[in-house]
Structures are given as structure tokens and as C-alpha cells.
Amino acid sequence: RRLVHGPRLSADAAALAVAAHANRAEALLRLRDPRAALLECRAALLLDPAHEKCRARVLRADAMIARGDVSE
């Protein structure tokens, strides 16, 4: 089931969604799946464009992709 984030999302729910996406992104980076991590970061940053951890994770994911450091 896919969650749709929209204007009816409360501030608390949005904060939880951002945290969930950010945590999934970190886990995916540790599993060497930077492309999936980028998708999670994109979802988090749509809700909170200033989320520093996700901004840093985007840079890490881009660097991993550039190096070819991805799981097969």
C-alpha cells in the first residue's frame, strides 16, 4: 500500500513520515542501494526541504553511484 502525503497530513504525521523516509534512506545506503535511498530522501525532502540528514544522504548516495559502489 502506498501512502499519499497531502495537505491533510498533520504536522506530527509529517514529522513521522520524514523520519521514516530518512531512516529507510540510511538503511538502504548501508545495504549499498543508493538509488533506492535517493527515492526515500526525495520523499522526505518533499515534506521537509531543510532536512539536513537527508540532504547529506543525497550527497552520499550520489557519490556511491559515481564510484559504482552499489550492491548487485
Side-chain angles (χ1 to χ4, degrees):
R1 180 176 144 168
R2 183 179 167 160
L3 295 177
V4 176
H5 305 296
R8 291 181 280 183
L9 197 61
S10 72
D12 288 340
L16 286 173
V18 169
H21 287 300
N23 289 339
R24 278 196 297 269
E26 178 62 26
L28 289 162
L29 287 171
R30 290 179 186 200
L31 292 170
R32 295 178 44 221
D33 191 351
R35 288 179 184 89
L38 283 173
L39 294 175
E40 292 297 335
C41 285
R42 182 177 300 150
L45 291 170
L46 283 172
L47 294 169
D48 181 3
H51 194 274
E52 291 300 321
K53 286 184 178 180
C54 267
R55 295 175 105 187
R57 288 174 184 149
V58 166
L59 296 175
R60 281 175 52 206
D62 286 341
M64 288 174 73
I65 292 168
R67 288 191 311 264
D69 185 15
V70 297
S71 62
E72 296 297 322

